[in-house]
mmCIF file of all heavy atoms in Angstrom:
data_model
loop_
_atom_site.group_PDB
_atom_site.id
_atom_site.type_symbol
_atom_site.label_atom_id
_atom_site.label_comp_id
_atom_site.label_asym_id
_atom_site.label_seq_id
_atom_site.Cartn_x
_atom_site.Cartn_y
_atom_site.Cartn_z
ATOM 1 N N ARG A 288 -23.944 -36.064 45.149
ATOM 2 C CA ARG A 288 -25.356 -35.755 45.422
ATOM 3 C C ARG A 288 -25.506 -34.344 45.986
ATOM 4 O O ARG A 288 -26.470 -33.635 45.658
ATOM 5 C CB ARG A 288 -25.942 -36.789 46.379
ATOM 6 C CG ARG A 288 -26.125 -38.151 45.742
ATOM 7 C CD ARG A 288 -26.703 -39.174 46.706
ATOM 8 N NE ARG A 288 -26.788 -40.482 46.067
ATOM 9 C CZ ARG A 288 -27.765 -40.867 45.258
ATOM 10 N NH1 ARG A 288 -28.764 -40.039 44.993
ATOM 11 N NH2 ARG A 288 -27.760 -42.068 44.717
ATOM 12 N N ALA A 289 -24.563 -33.943 46.832
ATOM 13 C CA ALA A 289 -24.611 -32.578 47.364
ATOM 14 C C ALA A 289 -24.409 -31.560 46.251
ATOM 15 O O ALA A 289 -25.059 -30.499 46.227
ATOM 16 C CB ALA A 289 -23.545 -32.411 48.447
ATOM 17 N N LEU A 290 -23.520 -31.882 45.311
ATOM 18 C CA LEU A 290 -23.287 -30.989 44.183
ATOM 19 C C LEU A 290 -24.538 -30.890 43.312
ATOM 20 O O LEU A 290 -24.912 -29.793 42.855
ATOM 21 C CB LEU A 290 -22.107 -31.505 43.361
ATOM 22 C CG LEU A 290 -21.571 -30.589 42.257
ATOM 23 C CD1 LEU A 290 -21.028 -29.300 42.861
ATOM 24 C CD2 LEU A 290 -20.486 -31.302 41.457
ATOM 25 N N ALA A 291 -25.199 -32.025 43.092
ATOM 26 C CA ALA A 291 -26.434 -32.028 42.306
ATOM 27 C C ALA A 291 -27.509 -31.195 42.987
ATOM 28 O O ALA A 291 -28.233 -30.431 42.328
ATOM 29 C CB ALA A 291 -26.916 -33.463 42.108
ATOM 30 N N ALA A 292 -27.609 -31.313 44.310
ATOM 31 C CA ALA A 292 -28.614 -30.537 45.046
ATOM 32 C C ALA A 292 -28.322 -29.045 44.949
ATOM 33 O O ALA A 292 -29.241 -28.222 44.818
ATOM 34 C CB ALA A 292 -28.636 -30.981 46.505
ATOM 35 N N GLN A 293 -27.035 -28.683 44.969
ATOM 36 C CA GLN A 293 -26.658 -27.273 44.848
ATOM 37 C C GLN A 293 -27.033 -26.724 43.471
ATOM 38 O O GLN A 293 -27.553 -25.612 43.341
ATOM 39 C CB GLN A 293 -25.153 -27.117 45.088
ATOM 40 C CG GLN A 293 -24.666 -25.688 45.064
ATOM 41 C CD GLN A 293 -23.175 -25.592 45.370
ATOM 42 O OE1 GLN A 293 -22.544 -26.577 45.740
ATOM 43 N NE2 GLN A 293 -22.605 -24.412 45.213
ATOM 44 N N ILE A 294 -26.789 -27.513 42.427
ATOM 45 C CA ILE A 294 -27.165 -27.097 41.071
ATOM 46 C C ILE A 294 -28.676 -26.924 40.978
ATOM 47 O O ILE A 294 -29.177 -25.945 40.415
ATOM 48 C CB ILE A 294 -26.665 -28.128 40.043
ATOM 49 C CG1 ILE A 294 -25.134 -28.146 39.990
ATOM 50 C CG2 ILE A 294 -27.233 -27.828 38.653
ATOM 51 C CD1 ILE A 294 -24.561 -29.269 39.148
ATOM 52 N N GLU A 295 -29.409 -27.882 41.541
ATOM 53 C CA GLU A 295 -30.867 -27.845 41.443
ATOM 54 C C GLU A 295 -31.453 -26.646 42.193
ATOM 55 O O GLU A 295 -32.450 -26.062 41.768
ATOM 56 C CB GLU A 295 -31.443 -29.161 41.987
ATOM 57 C CG GLU A 295 -32.903 -29.402 41.656
ATOM 58 C CD GLU A 295 -33.153 -29.602 40.173
ATOM 59 O OE1 GLU A 295 -32.182 -29.856 39.417
ATOM 60 O OE2 GLU A 295 -34.315 -29.503 39.758
ATOM 61 N N ARG A 296 -30.812 -26.285 43.310
ATOM 62 C CA ARG A 296 -31.306 -25.120 44.058
ATOM 63 C C ARG A 296 -31.110 -23.830 43.269
ATOM 64 O O ARG A 296 -31.978 -22.968 43.231
ATOM 65 C CB ARG A 296 -30.572 -25.014 45.407
ATOM 66 C CG ARG A 296 -31.085 -25.958 46.488
ATOM 67 C CD ARG A 296 -30.591 -25.544 47.854
ATOM 68 N NE ARG A 296 -29.137 -25.420 47.914
ATOM 69 C CZ ARG A 296 -28.316 -26.406 48.232
ATOM 70 N NH1 ARG A 296 -28.809 -27.609 48.517
ATOM 71 N NH2 ARG A 296 -27.016 -26.218 48.278
ATOM 72 N N ARG A 297 -29.958 -23.735 42.618
ATOM 73 C CA ARG A 297 -29.630 -22.480 41.928
ATOM 74 C C ARG A 297 -30.316 -22.387 40.570
ATOM 75 O O ARG A 297 -30.645 -21.283 40.107
ATOM 76 C CB ARG A 297 -28.114 -22.354 41.762
ATOM 77 C CG ARG A 297 -27.363 -22.276 43.081
ATOM 78 C CD ARG A 297 -25.938 -21.843 42.912
ATOM 79 N NE ARG A 297 -25.839 -20.459 42.428
ATOM 80 C CZ ARG A 297 -24.717 -19.736 42.497
ATOM 81 N NH1 ARG A 297 -23.620 -20.265 43.021
ATOM 82 N NH2 ARG A 297 -24.691 -18.516 42.033
ATOM 83 N N GLN A 298 -30.517 -23.533 39.904
ATOM 84 C CA GLN A 298 -31.140 -23.512 38.573
ATOM 85 C C GLN A 298 -31.933 -24.804 38.393
ATOM 86 O O GLN A 298 -31.433 -25.781 37.827
ATOM 87 C CB GLN A 298 -30.062 -23.391 37.488
ATOM 88 C CG GLN A 298 -30.609 -23.341 36.069
ATOM 89 C CD GLN A 298 -30.837 -21.938 35.584
ATOM 90 O OE1 GLN A 298 -29.949 -21.106 35.675
ATOM 91 N NE2 GLN A 298 -32.016 -21.673 35.077
ATOM 92 N N PRO A 299 -33.178 -24.836 38.862
ATOM 93 C CA PRO A 299 -33.961 -26.073 38.739
ATOM 94 C C PRO A 299 -34.135 -26.487 37.280
ATOM 95 O O PRO A 299 -34.391 -25.661 36.406
ATOM 96 C CB PRO A 299 -35.311 -25.691 39.374
ATOM 97 C CG PRO A 299 -35.006 -24.512 40.256
ATOM 98 C CD PRO A 299 -33.904 -23.768 39.562
#
Side-chain angles (χ1 to χ4, degrees):
R288 289 180 183 278
L290 189 63
Q293 183 177 352
I294 293 172
E295 194 66 16
R296 281 195 305 270
R297 297 193 66 164
Q298 181 93 51

